[in-house]
Amino acid sequence: MSSYKDKKVITIGVMSELTGLSERKIRYYEERKLIFPERTKGGTRKYSFDDVERLIDIADKMEDGMQTFDIRRMEQKKLPKKELRERMLRGQLNAAFNMRK
């Protein structure tokens, strides 16, 4: 059973308010494959409370001078291969979905 922290229920506007990041910056982190929102049938991005914490961590690392490539590489080293593969596939599906728009 998944935790409430894992459920993707937060919209990008609320995510922006919770993290203090602009919607554009959140989309940029998604483009750089640092965050993986789910999409509704209408294309709306949905985030979890875990994603809120993750975005704040990413923003802190960026503020400390890290590049998105370095952050992604660090995260990939921490993830089990199965989860890394699932995230990559999810990112590819999101990219394919966007291309159909």
Side-chain angles (χ1 to χ4, degrees):
M1 187 171 192
S2 66
S3 163
Y4 76 93
K5 291 180 79 174
D6 299 330
K7 294 185 182 187
K8 305 272 186 171
V9 296
I10 304 169
T11 62
I12 195 167
V14 173
M15 183 64 97
S16 177
E17 288 183 45
L18 290 171
T19 61
L21 299 170
S22 68
E23 291 181 18
R24 175 66 198 118
K25 190 163 277 194
I26 294 169
R27 285 187 206 97
Y28 172 73
Y29 292 151
E30 179 185 355
E31 290 168 13
R32 302 300 297 164
K33 301 195 183 338
L34 295 173
I35 192 91
F36 303 93
E38 288 182 3
R39 298 283 187 135
T40 65
K41 289 182 182 179
T44 302
R45 290 170 174 87
K46 292 289 188 166
Y47 300 89
S48 68
F49 287 100
D50 279 337
D51 292 332
V52 172
E53 293 173 5
R54 179 154 172 68
L55 276 174
I56 291 170
D57 183 53
I58 291 166
D60 288 344
K61 288 175 180 172
M62 294 288 292
E63 198 170 288
D64 290 342
M66 291 187 76
Q67 300 295 316
T68 57
F69 175 81
D70 297 321
I71 296 169
R72 188 171 56 249
R73 189 173 37 177
M74 277 178 40
E75 290 299 316
Q76 288 173 345
K77 287 181 180 179
K78 288 195 284 187
L79 291 175
K81 286 190 178 196
K82 182 179 179 185
E83 187 174 342
L84 177 59
R85 184 171 184 263
E86 287 174 6
R87 283 188 176 197
M88 289 173 65
L89 288 172
R90 194 174 326 134
Q92 290 172 349
L93 287 171
N94 278 336
F97 180 87
N98 288 336
M99 293 181 73
R100 282 189 254 144
K101 275 188 169 179

XYZ file of all heavy atoms in Angstrom:
845
model
N 0.847 -1.180 0.000
C 0.000 0.000 0.000
C 0.889 1.238 0.000
O 1.830 1.345 0.754
C -0.893 -0.025 1.229
C -1.915 1.048 1.250
S -3.045 0.728 2.625
C -4.274 1.867 2.200
N 0.587 2.179 -0.859
C 1.433 3.359 -0.958
C 1.034 4.414 0.071
O -0.105 4.490 0.505
C 1.376 3.937 -2.367
O 0.085 4.415 -2.635
N 1.986 5.217 0.422
C 1.796 6.285 1.387
C 1.130 7.484 0.719
O 1.193 7.652 -0.500
C 3.170 6.691 1.917
O 3.124 7.944 2.550
N 0.524 8.338 1.518
C -0.062 9.560 0.976
C 1.013 10.424 0.311
O 0.726 11.176 -0.610
C -0.785 10.356 2.069
C 0.154 11.094 3.003
C 0.510 12.414 2.751
C 0.705 10.468 4.113
C 1.383 13.092 3.593
C 1.573 11.140 4.954
C 1.904 12.449 4.684
O 2.776 13.125 5.505
N 2.261 10.278 0.761
C 3.355 11.078 0.201
C 3.676 10.689 -1.234
O 4.251 11.467 -1.972
C 4.607 10.942 1.064
C 4.454 11.616 2.422
C 5.699 11.472 3.240
C 6.693 12.486 2.761
N 7.903 12.561 3.556
N 3.287 9.469 -1.633
C 3.568 8.975 -2.980
C 2.479 9.328 -3.991
O 2.712 9.249 -5.194
C 3.710 7.447 -2.978
C 4.849 6.970 -2.105
O 5.840 7.710 -1.950
O 4.736 5.856 -1.555
N 1.304 9.673 -3.524
C 0.170 9.908 -4.423
C 0.342 11.219 -5.175
O 0.610 12.259 -4.592
C -1.141 9.902 -3.648
C -1.434 8.531 -3.085
C -2.770 8.475 -2.426
C -2.932 7.062 -1.869
N -4.211 6.815 -1.342
N 0.175 11.147 -6.483
C 0.345 12.311 -7.357
C -0.981 13.057 -7.456
O -1.841 12.727 -8.254
C 0.815 11.865 -8.742
C 2.080 11.012 -8.732
C 3.303 11.862 -8.785
C 4.547 10.980 -8.918
N 5.734 11.747 -9.182
N -1.159 14.069 -6.591
C -2.424 14.794 -6.515
C -2.260 16.318 -6.570
O -3.239 17.039 -6.615
C -3.200 14.418 -5.229
C -3.590 12.945 -5.238
C -2.388 14.744 -3.983
N -1.031 16.791 -6.577
C -0.769 18.228 -6.490
C -0.551 18.799 -7.890
O 0.255 18.282 -8.657
C 0.477 18.488 -5.610
C 0.296 17.862 -4.228
C 0.760 19.983 -5.507
C 1.550 17.835 -3.386
N -1.238 19.891 -8.199
C -1.063 20.549 -9.507
C 0.205 21.400 -9.496
O 0.756 21.720 -8.438
C -2.254 21.458 -9.832
O -2.321 22.498 -8.845
C -3.559 20.676 -9.877
N 0.630 21.815 -10.685
C 1.867 22.595 -10.790
C 1.738 23.958 -10.098
O 2.700 24.459 -9.520
C 2.318 22.740 -12.262
C 3.769 23.226 -12.319
C 1.371 23.623 -13.045
C 4.413 23.107 -13.685
N 0.534 24.549 -10.116
C 0.333 25.832 -9.435
C 0.525 25.714 -7.934
O 1.183 26.553 -7.308
N -0.043 24.675 -7.352
C 0.112 24.441 -5.916
C 1.563 24.074 -5.612
O 2.136 24.522 -4.617
C -0.862 23.339 -5.432
C -0.603 22.973 -3.983
C -2.306 23.788 -5.628
N 2.168 23.283 -6.496
C 3.575 22.909 -6.330
C 4.451 24.168 -6.300
O 5.355 24.279 -5.477
C 4.009 21.979 -7.460
C 5.433 21.498 -7.327
S 5.689 20.495 -5.883
C 5.563 18.890 -6.582
N 4.153 25.109 -7.155
C 4.891 26.363 -7.202
C 4.758 27.122 -5.878
O 5.739 27.636 -5.346
C 4.378 27.219 -8.366
O 5.025 28.461 -8.388
N 3.536 27.159 -5.344
C 3.323 27.841 -4.066
C 4.044 27.139 -2.918
O 4.619 27.795 -2.054
C 1.829 27.911 -3.754
C 1.077 28.890 -4.635
C -0.393 28.977 -4.251
O -0.671 29.062 -3.034
O -1.229 28.962 -5.157
N 4.016 25.815 -2.915
C 4.640 25.054 -1.833
C 6.161 25.145 -1.847
O 6.798 25.145 -0.792
C 4.226 23.575 -1.909
C 2.781 23.255 -1.562
C 2.460 21.807 -1.884
C 2.496 23.548 -0.098
N 6.750 25.204 -3.043
C 8.210 25.182 -3.152
C 8.828 26.565 -3.308
O 10.029 26.730 -3.100
C 8.652 24.333 -4.356
O 8.126 24.924 -5.550
C 8.190 22.895 -4.217
N 8.026 27.534 -3.741
C 8.565 28.862 -4.025
C 9.231 28.948 -5.390
O 9.825 29.962 -5.739
N 9.128 27.871 -6.184
C 9.710 27.842 -7.529
C 8.654 28.260 -8.547
O 7.470 27.992 -8.362
C 10.195 26.431 -7.874
C 11.286 25.852 -6.978
C 11.489 24.372 -7.279
C 12.579 26.619 -7.165
N 9.083 28.885 -9.613
C 8.143 29.250 -10.668
C 7.693 27.988 -11.406
O 8.397 26.971 -11.410
C 8.790 30.216 -11.659
O 9.807 29.552 -12.399
N 6.536 28.072 -12.025
C 6.057 26.938 -12.813
C 7.042 26.627 -13.941
O 7.270 25.468 -14.266
C 4.663 27.225 -13.375
C 3.605 27.257 -12.293
C 2.212 27.512 -12.829
O 1.972 27.332 -14.040
O 1.343 27.881 -12.009
N 7.629 27.650 -14.519
C 8.606 27.457 -15.592
C 9.819 26.666 -15.089
O 10.324 25.780 -15.762
C 9.037 28.816 -16.167
C 10.127 28.722 -17.192
C 9.628 27.995 -18.462
N 10.754 27.539 -19.240
C 11.011 26.260 -19.522
N 10.212 25.309 -19.133
N 12.068 25.932 -20.204
N 10.291 27.011 -13.888
C 11.455 26.311 -13.337
C 11.104 24.846 -13.047
O 11.917 23.949 -13.285
C 11.944 26.993 -12.065
C 13.281 26.458 -11.596
C 13.927 27.378 -10.613
C 14.629 28.442 -11.414
N 15.571 29.240 -10.668
N 9.899 24.592 -12.563
C 9.471 23.212 -12.301
C 9.429 22.430 -13.610
O 9.901 21.298 -13.682
C 8.103 23.199 -11.595
C 8.232 23.830 -10.196
C 7.555 21.780 -11.497
C 6.914 24.122 -9.508
N 8.893 23.054 -14.668
C 8.868 22.390 -15.980
C 10.295 22.132 -16.484
O 10.569 21.097 -17.086
C 8.110 23.236 -16.996
C 6.624 23.208 -16.818
C 5.925 23.931 -17.978
N 4.651 24.421 -17.554
C 4.397 25.670 -17.150
N 5.344 26.582 -17.167
N 3.193 26.011 -16.761
N 11.185 23.073 -16.230
C 12.587 22.912 -16.640
C 13.204 21.698 -15.952
O 13.886 20.895 -16.588
C 13.389 24.176 -16.311
C 14.871 24.029 -16.534
C 15.394 24.000 -17.825
C 15.745 23.899 -15.461
C 16.758 23.846 -18.033
C 17.106 23.758 -15.664
C 17.609 23.732 -16.951
O 18.956 23.574 -17.163
N 12.960 21.538 -14.656
C 13.496 20.385 -13.938
C 12.911 19.086 -14.486
O 13.592 18.068 -14.512
C 13.242 20.514 -12.438
C 14.021 21.631 -11.773
C 13.539 22.274 -10.652
C 15.244 22.062 -12.280
C 14.246 23.294 -10.035
C 15.956 23.075 -11.682
C 15.451 23.694 -10.560
O 16.160 24.696 -9.963
N 11.669 19.137 -14.936
C 11.083 17.958 -15.583
C 11.790 17.678 -16.911
O 12.135 16.534 -17.205
C 9.593 18.172 -15.826
C 8.935 16.995 -16.510
C 7.486 17.239 -16.874
O 6.926 18.296 -16.523
O 6.917 16.361 -17.545
N 12.023 18.723 -17.695
C 12.729 18.565 -18.979
C 14.115 17.971 -18.775
O 14.594 17.192 -19.596
C 12.871 19.918 -19.687
C 11.583 20.480 -20.218
C 11.724 21.936 -20.654
O 12.877 22.438 -20.779
O 10.688 22.578 -20.858
N 14.765 18.334 -17.680
C 16.113 17.856 -17.374
C 16.090 16.496 -16.677
O 17.108 16.005 -16.214
C 16.859 18.873 -16.500
C 16.995 20.254 -17.113
C 17.743 20.279 -18.406
N 19.102 19.841 -18.174
C 19.948 19.461 -19.106
N 19.589 19.478 -20.354
N 21.147 19.065 -18.804
N 14.904 15.899 -16.589
C 14.712 14.558 -16.014
C 15.140 14.465 -14.548
O 15.769 13.509 -14.111
C 15.400 13.510 -16.866
C 14.876 13.482 -18.289
C 15.266 12.256 -19.015
C 14.821 12.206 -20.449
N 13.734 12.994 -20.896
N 14.777 15.509 -13.796
C 15.041 15.522 -12.363
C 13.771 15.245 -11.560
O 13.840 14.882 -10.391
C 15.618 16.873 -11.942
C 16.988 17.207 -12.528
C 17.376 18.629 -12.184
C 18.023 16.223 -12.034
N 12.624 15.446 -12.181
C 11.331 15.238 -11.530
C 10.405 14.566 -12.543
O 10.531 14.820 -13.744
C 10.757 16.581 -11.009
C 9.578 16.370 -10.080
C 10.406 17.523 -12.116
C 9.983 16.260 -8.655
N 9.527 13.701 -12.053
C 8.713 12.886 -12.956
C 7.233 12.946 -12.570
O 6.717 12.041 -11.925
C 9.206 11.437 -12.935
C 10.647 11.305 -13.301
C 11.626 11.310 -12.327
C 11.022 11.203 -14.630
C 12.967 11.201 -12.664
C 12.360 11.086 -14.977
C 13.333 11.098 -13.993
N 6.537 14.011 -12.969
C 5.110 14.087 -12.638
C 4.302 13.109 -13.484
O 4.756 12.673 -14.543
C 4.740 15.529 -13.003
C 5.692 15.890 -14.081
C 6.975 15.173 -13.739
N 3.140 12.768 -12.983
C 2.202 11.989 -13.788
C 1.347 12.985 -14.559
O 1.306 14.169 -14.228
C 1.338 11.100 -12.892
C 2.119 9.950 -12.310
C 1.266 9.033 -11.447
O 0.044 9.255 -11.332
O 1.852 8.107 -10.875
N 0.667 12.502 -15.572
C -0.219 13.358 -16.373
C -1.638 12.803 -16.329
O -1.841 11.606 -16.404
C 0.239 13.382 -17.841
C 1.607 13.942 -18.083
C 1.585 15.445 -17.995
N 2.864 15.983 -18.399
C 2.998 17.004 -19.204
N 1.946 17.621 -19.694
N 4.185 17.445 -19.512
N -2.592 13.720 -16.234
C -3.981 13.315 -16.348
C -4.295 13.110 -17.823
O -3.477 13.442 -18.684
C -4.921 14.392 -15.783
O -4.809 15.571 -16.597
C -4.594 14.716 -14.325
N -5.477 12.599 -18.113
C -5.879 12.430 -19.513
C -5.868 13.757 -20.253
O -5.604 13.807 -21.445
C -7.252 11.778 -19.599
C -7.243 10.328 -19.190
C -8.607 9.696 -19.318
C -8.536 8.252 -18.831
N -9.825 7.591 -18.917
N -6.130 14.841 -19.550
C -6.122 16.171 -20.158
C -4.734 16.790 -20.250
O -4.574 17.890 -20.769
N -3.714 16.097 -19.722
C -2.342 16.588 -19.815
C -1.856 17.374 -18.617
O -0.730 17.866 -18.609
N -2.679 17.510 -17.588
C -2.281 18.257 -16.394
C -1.238 17.471 -15.617
O -1.384 16.287 -15.372
C -3.507 18.510 -15.487
O -4.487 19.220 -16.234
C -3.126 19.295 -14.245
N -0.178 18.160 -15.219
C 0.857 17.535 -14.408
C 0.338 17.357 -12.987
O -0.275 18.256 -12.428
C 2.101 18.418 -14.367
C 2.855 18.503 -15.646
C 3.917 19.612 -15.528
N 4.777 19.647 -16.682
C 4.512 20.319 -17.801
N 3.402 21.014 -17.903
N 5.360 20.307 -18.805
N 0.666 16.204 -12.384
C 0.297 15.927 -10.995
C 1.543 15.479 -10.241
O 2.292 14.632 -10.712
C -0.770 14.827 -10.918
C -2.112 15.239 -11.479
C -2.779 16.240 -10.579
C -4.202 16.494 -11.056
N -4.973 17.180 -10.051
N 1.758 16.071 -9.075
C 2.939 15.811 -8.263
C 2.530 15.243 -6.908
O 1.398 15.383 -6.480
C 3.713 17.113 -8.036
C 4.181 17.766 -9.305
C 3.370 18.679 -9.965
C 5.419 17.477 -9.840
C 3.795 19.292 -11.136
C 5.857 18.080 -11.008
C 5.030 18.987 -11.651
O 5.450 19.586 -12.814
N 3.495 14.663 -6.215
C 3.271 14.104 -4.883
C 3.977 14.968 -3.834
O 4.766 15.851 -4.168
C 3.820 12.679 -4.820
O 5.236 12.709 -4.910
N 3.709 14.670 -2.576
C 4.413 15.361 -1.495
C 5.894 14.996 -1.502
O 6.744 15.821 -1.150
C 3.767 15.051 -0.141
C 2.438 15.738 0.037
C 1.260 15.041 -0.173
C 2.367 17.072 0.383
C 0.028 15.670 -0.032
C 1.152 17.716 0.519
C -0.026 17.010 0.305
N 6.228 13.785 -1.926
C 7.636 13.428 -2.104
C 8.285 14.329 -3.156
O 9.441 14.721 -3.021
C 7.787 11.961 -2.527
C 7.694 10.990 -1.362
O 7.940 11.403 -0.204
O 7.382 9.809 -1.612
N 7.529 14.651 -4.207
C 8.046 15.541 -5.253
C 8.307 16.945 -4.709
O 9.250 17.607 -5.141
C 7.078 15.619 -6.440
C 6.970 14.316 -7.216
O 7.956 13.541 -7.220
O 5.908 14.079 -7.823
N 7.474 17.397 -3.775
C 7.689 18.712 -3.151
C 9.062 18.721 -2.487
O 9.880 19.631 -2.718
C 6.588 19.039 -2.107
C 6.929 20.312 -1.335
C 5.228 19.159 -2.768
N 9.330 17.708 -1.679
C 10.619 17.614 -0.988
C 11.767 17.507 -1.990
O 12.815 18.136 -1.810
C 10.623 16.414 -0.045
C 9.665 16.569 1.115
C 9.522 15.317 1.962
O 10.240 14.329 1.716
O 8.691 15.340 2.890
N 11.547 16.746 -3.033
C 12.584 16.565 -4.056
C 12.899 17.883 -4.765
O 14.061 18.215 -4.976
C 12.117 15.514 -5.063
C 13.099 15.272 -6.154
C 12.966 13.882 -6.735
N 13.789 13.720 -7.902
C 15.102 13.706 -7.905
N 15.756 13.868 -6.782
N 15.777 13.543 -9.018
N 11.872 18.645 -5.119
C 12.098 19.921 -5.795
C 12.835 20.915 -4.896
O 13.702 21.651 -5.371
C 10.773 20.521 -6.265
C 10.275 20.016 -7.598
C 8.888 20.562 -7.891
C 11.228 20.400 -8.727
N 12.498 20.925 -3.630
C 13.194 21.818 -2.697
C 14.665 21.417 -2.606
O 15.558 22.271 -2.621
C 12.504 21.812 -1.315
C 11.134 22.490 -1.426
C 13.379 22.488 -0.261
C 10.253 22.336 -0.206
N 14.929 20.109 -2.558
C 16.303 19.615 -2.523
C 17.055 20.001 -3.807
O 18.206 20.443 -3.751
C 16.305 18.101 -2.335
C 17.693 17.528 -2.205
O 18.471 18.010 -1.343
O 18.027 16.601 -2.973
N 16.411 19.849 -4.953
C 17.028 20.218 -6.234
C 17.348 21.710 -6.253
O 18.451 22.119 -6.623
C 16.100 19.845 -7.418
C 16.022 18.330 -7.568
C 16.565 20.499 -8.714
C 14.894 17.854 -8.481
N 16.384 22.531 -5.817
C 16.590 23.984 -5.804
C 17.758 24.362 -4.890
O 18.561 25.234 -5.227
C 15.309 24.690 -5.371
N 17.864 23.699 -3.730
C 18.978 23.961 -2.811
C 20.309 23.611 -3.465
O 21.283 24.373 -3.359
C 18.812 23.170 -1.513
C 17.704 23.699 -0.623
O 17.244 24.845 -0.837
O 17.282 22.952 0.291
N 20.362 22.474 -4.152
C 21.598 22.066 -4.812
C 21.961 23.024 -5.937
O 23.140 23.353 -6.129
C 21.463 20.637 -5.349
C 21.469 19.595 -4.244
C 21.218 18.200 -4.770
C 21.239 17.204 -3.625
N 20.833 15.871 -4.030
N 20.954 23.482 -6.672
C 21.211 24.446 -7.754
C 21.740 25.761 -7.171
O 22.660 26.364 -7.714
C 19.939 24.702 -8.558
C 19.424 23.498 -9.331
S 20.420 23.053 -10.751
C 20.121 24.453 -11.827
N 21.159 26.163 -6.056
C 21.597 27.401 -5.395
C 23.041 27.275 -4.904
O 23.777 28.253 -4.871
C 20.668 27.706 -4.220
C 20.747 29.133 -3.743
C 19.651 29.441 -2.752
O 18.486 29.548 -3.182
O 19.970 29.582 -1.546
N 23.448 26.068 -4.556
C 24.819 25.807 -4.114
C 25.794 25.700 -5.284
O 26.983 25.461 -5.077
C 24.886 24.530 -3.276
C 24.223 24.695 -1.918
O 24.023 25.838 -1.475
O 23.907 23.651 -1.295
N 25.282 25.822 -6.518
C 26.156 25.833 -7.681
C 26.209 24.547 -8.480
O 26.973 24.451 -9.442
N 25.424 23.552 -8.100
C 25.429 22.303 -8.860
C 24.665 22.492 -10.174
O 23.777 23.324 -10.258
C 24.786 21.171 -8.051
C 25.617 20.743 -6.866
S 24.922 19.287 -6.062
C 25.422 18.030 -7.212
N 25.023 21.700 -11.145
C 24.342 21.704 -12.436
C 23.317 20.569 -12.455
O 23.460 19.581 -11.738
C 25.352 21.505 -13.572
C 26.416 22.582 -13.629
C 25.832 23.941 -13.964
O 25.005 24.063 -14.855
N 26.262 24.951 -13.229
N 22.302 20.697 -13.313
C 21.264 19.660 -13.388
C 21.858 18.305 -13.750
O 21.434 17.280 -13.229
C 20.162 20.041 -14.394
O 20.747 20.268 -15.673
C 19.410 21.264 -13.933
N 22.861 18.291 -14.618
C 23.508 17.037 -15.003
C 24.104 16.343 -13.782
O 23.966 15.135 -13.607
C 24.593 17.305 -16.055
C 25.386 16.086 -16.410
C 24.892 15.153 -17.308
C 26.627 15.851 -15.832
C 25.613 14.008 -17.636
C 27.359 14.723 -16.142
C 26.846 13.795 -17.047
N 24.778 17.114 -12.933
C 25.404 16.543 -11.732
C 24.361 16.012 -10.754
O 24.551 14.951 -10.157
C 26.268 17.595 -11.033
C 27.414 18.062 -11.907
O 28.004 17.222 -12.612
O 27.710 19.282 -11.888
N 23.272 16.735 -10.606
C 22.201 16.300 -9.703
C 21.596 14.998 -10.216
O 21.394 14.048 -9.450
C 21.119 17.392 -9.563
C 21.712 18.643 -8.898
C 19.929 16.866 -8.751
C 20.820 19.861 -8.957
N 21.332 14.933 -11.520
C 20.759 13.725 -12.106
C 21.711 12.542 -11.933
O 21.306 11.443 -11.567
C 20.432 13.956 -13.581
C 19.664 12.811 -14.211
C 19.149 13.118 -15.607
N 20.199 13.513 -16.514
C 20.356 14.740 -17.028
N 19.530 15.711 -16.717
N 21.350 15.008 -17.851
N 22.988 12.773 -12.169
C 23.981 11.700 -12.031
C 24.041 11.203 -10.581
O 24.112 10.005 -10.332
C 25.339 12.193 -12.495
C 26.365 11.089 -12.585
C 27.643 11.549 -13.187
N 27.937 12.905 -12.745
C 29.024 13.576 -13.048
N 29.932 13.025 -13.801
N 29.223 14.791 -12.620
N 24.001 12.123 -9.621
C 24.004 11.740 -8.203
C 22.784 10.892 -7.871
O 22.889 9.886 -7.180
C 23.984 12.986 -7.312
C 25.319 13.615 -7.070
S 25.224 15.108 -6.048
C 24.021 14.727 -4.824
N 21.626 11.304 -8.355
C 20.384 10.576 -8.081
C 20.409 9.190 -8.716
O 19.927 8.232 -8.133
C 19.172 11.369 -8.575
C 18.906 12.606 -7.762
C 18.615 12.304 -6.301
O 17.845 11.371 -6.021
O 19.171 13.000 -5.442
N 20.948 9.088 -9.907
C 21.000 7.803 -10.601
C 21.878 6.812 -9.848
O 21.591 5.627 -9.822
C 21.497 7.981 -12.035
C 20.476 8.648 -12.919
C 21.008 8.986 -14.290
O 22.208 8.974 -14.532
N 20.110 9.324 -15.190
N 22.931 7.304 -9.229
C 23.807 6.419 -8.463
C 23.118 5.889 -7.224
O 23.410 4.786 -6.771
C 25.084 7.157 -8.071
C 26.025 7.368 -9.228
C 27.268 8.082 -8.787
C 28.201 8.292 -9.964
N 29.409 9.016 -9.582
N 22.177 6.660 -6.656
C 21.473 6.258 -5.441
C 20.324 5.297 -5.714
O 19.942 4.543 -4.843
C 20.913 7.489 -4.714
C 21.963 8.344 -4.048
C 21.361 9.301 -3.068
C 20.688 10.467 -3.744
N 20.230 11.490 -2.803
N 19.763 5.343 -6.919
C 18.571 4.549 -7.227
C 18.915 3.110 -7.577
O 19.890 2.859 -8.271
C 17.829 5.154 -8.426
C 17.153 6.492 -8.223
C 16.581 6.976 -9.545
C 16.056 6.384 -7.191
N 18.083 2.185 -7.149
C 18.235 0.815 -7.634
C 17.960 0.800 -9.145
O 17.195 1.618 -9.646
C 17.156 0.036 -6.880
C 16.645 0.939 -5.816
C 17.014 2.325 -6.191
N 18.584 -0.120 -9.861
C 18.449 -0.157 -11.324
C 16.998 -0.257 -11.765
O 16.601 0.358 -12.736
C 19.269 -1.305 -11.914
C 20.740 -1.022 -11.902
C 21.499 -2.052 -12.689
C 22.966 -1.669 -12.660
N 23.718 -2.348 -13.661
N 16.191 -1.030 -11.052
C 14.786 -1.194 -11.438
C 14.048 0.148 -11.379
O 13.319 0.511 -12.296
C 14.096 -2.206 -10.531
C 12.664 -2.450 -10.897
C 12.008 -3.473 -10.002
C 10.565 -3.661 -10.403
N 9.846 -4.537 -9.520
N 14.258 0.898 -10.302
C 13.580 2.195 -10.168
C 14.100 3.184 -11.208
O 13.337 3.963 -11.766
C 13.751 2.760 -8.767
C 12.931 4.022 -8.548
C 12.968 4.515 -7.119
O 13.325 3.751 -6.212
O 12.632 5.684 -6.922
N 15.399 3.163 -11.455
C 15.980 4.042 -12.469
C 15.343 3.752 -13.831
O 14.949 4.673 -14.545
C 17.492 3.846 -12.539
C 18.240 4.641 -13.603
C 18.039 6.130 -13.404
C 19.710 4.297 -13.565
N 15.214 2.474 -14.167
C 14.602 2.082 -15.438
C 13.151 2.552 -15.509
O 12.711 3.091 -16.522
C 14.667 0.566 -15.592
C 14.135 0.079 -16.915
C 14.440 -1.412 -17.096
N 14.016 -1.833 -18.402
C 12.849 -2.435 -18.641
N 12.033 -2.698 -17.653
N 12.517 -2.779 -19.855
N 12.407 2.405 -14.414
C 11.011 2.844 -14.379
C 10.910 4.353 -14.582
O 10.047 4.833 -15.312
C 10.359 2.441 -13.061
C 10.067 0.959 -12.965
C 9.549 0.551 -11.599
O 9.309 1.428 -10.738
O 9.381 -0.666 -11.386
N 11.785 5.122 -13.948
C 11.764 6.577 -14.113
C 12.087 6.979 -15.548
O 11.481 7.893 -16.093
C 12.751 7.239 -13.162
C 12.266 7.307 -11.753
C 13.188 8.141 -10.925
N 12.660 8.288 -9.596
C 13.074 9.210 -8.742
N 14.029 10.037 -9.090
N 12.549 9.288 -7.547
N 13.066 6.297 -16.135
C 13.440 6.617 -17.516
C 12.277 6.310 -18.457
O 11.965 7.103 -19.344
C 14.699 5.852 -17.908
C 15.944 6.368 -17.210
S 17.404 5.366 -17.498
C 17.626 5.590 -19.237
N 11.626 5.168 -18.252
C 10.476 4.815 -19.082
C 9.336 5.808 -18.890
O 8.692 6.225 -19.855
C 10.000 3.398 -18.763
C 10.907 2.273 -19.235
C 10.424 0.941 -18.687
C 10.970 2.226 -20.752
N 9.088 6.212 -17.656
C 8.044 7.192 -17.375
C 8.358 8.512 -18.075
O 7.488 9.144 -18.665
C 7.925 7.404 -15.870
C 6.675 8.138 -15.474
C 6.467 8.241 -13.973
N 6.948 7.091 -13.237
C 7.677 7.182 -12.129
N 8.020 8.341 -11.629
N 8.071 6.099 -11.495
N 9.623 8.919 -18.045
C 10.032 10.140 -18.737
C 9.831 10.032 -20.235
O 9.385 10.983 -20.887
N 10.145 8.879 -20.793
C 9.947 8.674 -22.230
C 8.466 8.707 -22.580
O 8.076 9.262 -23.606
C 10.583 7.354 -22.672
C 12.092 7.393 -22.636
C 12.724 6.034 -22.875
O 12.048 5.012 -22.873
N 14.026 6.022 -23.050
N 7.628 8.120 -21.735
C 6.184 8.156 -21.978
C 5.650 9.581 -21.895
O 4.829 10.000 -22.702
C 5.449 7.269 -20.974
C 5.597 5.773 -21.189
C 5.005 4.999 -20.015
C 4.935 5.348 -22.490
N 6.145 10.357 -20.907
C 5.726 11.746 -20.809
C 6.145 12.529 -22.039
O 5.389 13.339 -22.571
C 6.326 12.412 -19.565
C 5.516 12.105 -18.324
O 4.334 11.801 -18.396
N 6.158 12.202 -17.174
N 7.366 12.272 -22.529
C 7.852 12.963 -23.731
C 6.984 12.583 -24.937
O 6.617 13.448 -25.737
C 9.312 12.617 -23.994
N 6.627 11.327 -25.054
C 5.790 10.881 -26.165
C 4.416 11.510 -26.067
O 3.832 11.919 -27.073
C 5.700 9.359 -26.192
N 3.887 11.613 -24.864
C 2.575 12.224 -24.658
C 2.611 13.672 -25.105
O 1.700 14.151 -25.762
C 2.181 12.126 -23.175
C 0.846 12.726 -22.883
C -0.308 11.959 -23.011
C 0.736 14.042 -22.485
C -1.546 12.505 -22.739
C -0.498 14.592 -22.213
C -1.643 13.827 -22.343
N 3.654 14.382 -24.730
C 3.774 15.796 -25.106
C 3.853 15.986 -26.600
O 3.377 16.977 -27.140
C 5.006 16.417 -24.442
C 4.811 16.617 -22.953
O 3.692 16.729 -22.483
N 5.901 16.638 -22.235
N 4.473 15.026 -27.301
C 4.629 15.144 -28.750
C 3.299 14.984 -29.461
O 3.114 15.481 -30.554
C 5.636 14.124 -29.271
C 7.043 14.409 -28.777
S 8.234 13.235 -29.400
C 8.344 13.776 -31.079
N 2.336 14.297 -28.832
C 1.035 14.085 -29.445
C 0.134 15.293 -29.331
O -0.913 15.342 -29.935
C 0.347 12.882 -28.829
C 0.871 11.580 -29.349
C 0.020 10.456 -28.882
N 0.767 9.765 -27.844
C 0.245 9.225 -26.771
N -1.031 9.269 -26.552
N 0.994 8.611 -25.889
N 0.495 16.261 -28.542
C -0.347 17.446 -28.340
C -0.502 18.246 -29.604
O 0.313 18.415 -30.407
C 0.244 18.346 -27.256
C -0.175 17.904 -25.885
C 0.287 18.929 -24.926
C -0.329 18.697 -23.563
N 0.093 19.635 -22.620
